[in-house]
Amino acid sequence: MSDTQTLDLELTGVYVHGTRGVMVIAEPPCADDAVSSRVYWNNEGTWYFVAEWPGAIVGSTLLNTSPLERFFLTADGRVYKRIKGDITEETIDPSDEGPNNLLLMRDLISVGDDLIAVGMARHAYRRTPNGQWHPIDQTCYQPRNQRTQATGFNAVTATPTGLTAVGYKGEIWHYNNTTWTQDTSPTTNTLTCTTTNNTTTLIGGLGTLLLGTPGNWETIPLPNPHLEIWSTITHNNTYYLATNQGLHKLHNNQLHPIPLHGNPTTTHLSTNNNTIWCIGTHHIHTTTDGTTWTPHELP
C-alpha cells in the first residue's frame, strides 16, 4: 500500500521537471496548525521518498544546471535547494517586511537562469545565478500601513515582454524587468493561476477565465458560474485547466470537460511538453496526447 494511503496524505502539488522525473507534494494530517510537506519523486514509474519539511510547499521548479538544481518554496518564504542528495535552505527575505507565517508566498517559477517568487502584499523576488534573492517589487509592493484588505499575487508567468502576476480583487500586473504596472482588469474576482502560450496568456480564477495580452483581455464564458479554476497549463498549444468541477481544455475559446474515470478531484497540473500530470487530493492521472488519461499509482 502506498504512503498516501497508509499515512492519509493529501496531494497538494505536482511538478514535472523536464525529463528528470516528477515531484509530487503531499501533506499529512496536521494538529495545532503544524503543517508539514512530504516530497516524493517518480522516476520511470517508481516512487522515492525525498524529504519532509515543515510548512506548506507552494511552488517548485528547477534550473538546468549540471548537476541539476531543484527548488521548493514554502509559504513562509523558505526555499529548499536540492542537488543530488544534498539539501540546503535559503531565506528569501529575512527583513521585517519579508514573507512570514502571515504574509505568505504563493508561487515560484524559473525564467532562464533566474527564479521568480511572488506572494501576498504583492511581494516579488528574483534569485540570480549567484544564489542571491533580490526584491523586484519596489513599484508594486503594498506596505503594512497601507493594507486594508487582502492584497497580493497568487501566481506569476513569464511572457515575451517580462512577467505577468495575478491576484486578489482581479488584479493583473506586468513587469518589464524594471517596473511593475497594473493593468485594467475586467473582473474583481480573485485570480488564482496563469500560464502563457507563445504570446497569449490565460488567467483563471474564482468563476473567471481571461485570455489575451496586456491591455487586451477577453472574458471566456464559463459553463457554470461557480467553476473555480485552480491550475492551468499549456501543452501542445492547448490550454488545460484543473477545476473544482473536473478537468477541462480550452478549444475555440470554449471550455470542454475531459472525462476521467471515477470523477476524481483535479487540483494541480504540470507538464514537460511530453506528458501532462494531473493530481487531486488522492488521485493522479497522466496523458501524452491530451485525450487518453491513465490513472497512476500513488506515492
Side-chain angles (χ1 to χ4, degrees):
M1 185 176 291
S2 71
D3 281 1
T4 305
Q5 295 167 305
T6 57
L7 301 176
D8 196 24
L9 302 177
E10 294 187 358
L11 304 183
T12 60
V14 59
Y15 309 97
V16 183
H17 290 169
T19 59
R20 310 289 188 92
V22 179
M23 294 288 184
V24 167
I25 313 300
E27 293 182 5
C30 61
D32 301 323
D33 297 325
V35 178
S36 64
S37 298
R38 286 185 164 224
V39 179
Y40 293 88
W41 174 44
N42 186 286
N43 185 29
E44 297 182 349
T46 300
W47 288 107
Y48 302 90
F49 173 71
V50 175
E52 181 169 356
W53 296 308
I57 293 175
V58 296
S60 175
T61 190
L62 62 79
L63 293 177
N64 279 307
T65 54
S66 182
L68 191 72
E69 299 179 27
R70 292 185 173 94
F71 297 85
F72 303 87
L73 171 67
T74 65
D76 61 2
R78 287 169 291 120
V79 177
Y80 295 102
K81 180 177 73 172
R82 184 175 187 267
I83 302 177
K84 294 185 177 179
D86 296 328
I87 297 172
T88 57
E89 182 178 333
E90 302 175 357
T91 300
I92 286 182
D93 181 356
S95 73
D96 290 342
E97 290 293 325
N100 53 49
N101 288 326
L102 298 177
L103 196 63
L104 304 178
M105 298 302 293
R106 295 293 198 189
D107 198 14
L108 176 71
I109 64 170
S110 58
V111 181
D113 294 330
D114 295 346
L115 303 182
I116 303 294
V118 299
M120 297 299 293
R122 303 193 203 103
H123 262 319
Y125 299 90
R126 181 190 299 273
R127 184 187 187 275
T128 51
N130 63 5
Q132 298 298 309
W133 288 93
H134 306 276
I136 58 171
D137 53 19
Q138 292 85 349
T139 52
C140 66
Y141 174 69
Q142 189 173 55
R144 185 180 307 167
N145 59 7
Q146 297 180 15
R147 295 178 215 145
T148 59
Q149 58 187 359
T151 303
F153 295 145
N154 288 319
V156 63
T157 185
T159 71
T161 58
L163 302 171
T164 293
V166 301
Y168 288 78
K169 302 298 180 182
E171 288 191 357
I172 305 172
W173 289 72
H174 306 291
Y175 183 63
N176 64 2
N177 294 316
T178 302
T179 303
W180 288 93
T181 303
Q182 187 172 3
D183 198 356
T184 299
S185 176
T187 183
T188 57
N189 290 342
T190 297
L191 302 175
T192 53
C193 55
T194 180
T195 189
T196 297
N197 181 9
N198 298 323
T199 60
T200 306
T201 297
L202 186 71
I203 299 172
L206 306 182
T208 303
L209 185 61
L210 310 176
L211 182 66
T213 56
N216 184 25
W217 297 105
E218 177 183 0
T219 300
I220 305 299
L222 298 179
N224 187 319
H226 301 292
L227 190 73
E228 298 181 9
I229 302 165
W230 293 329
S231 177
T232 180
I233 59 167
T234 177
H235 177 85
N236 291 340
N237 295 317
T238 299
Y239 290 111
Y240 293 84
L241 303 92
T243 79
N244 65 329
Q245 298 175 19
L247 190 62
H248 295 73
K249 69 178 178 180
L250 185 66
H251 181 67
N252 291 334
N253 285 3
Q254 290 187 333
L255 278 187
H256 299 269
I258 297 174
L260 298 178
H261 179 71
N263 295 319
T265 55
T266 56
T267 55
H268 291 81
L269 292 164
S270 186
T271 181
N272 61 356
N273 296 320
N274 178 45
T275 304
I276 302 175
W277 284 63
C278 175
I279 71 163
T281 305
H282 297 104
H283 307 93
I284 299 176
H285 286 78
T286 61
T287 184
T288 56
D289 59 10
T291 300
T292 303
W293 292 78
T294 304
H296 203 289
E297 67 174 0
L298 301 175

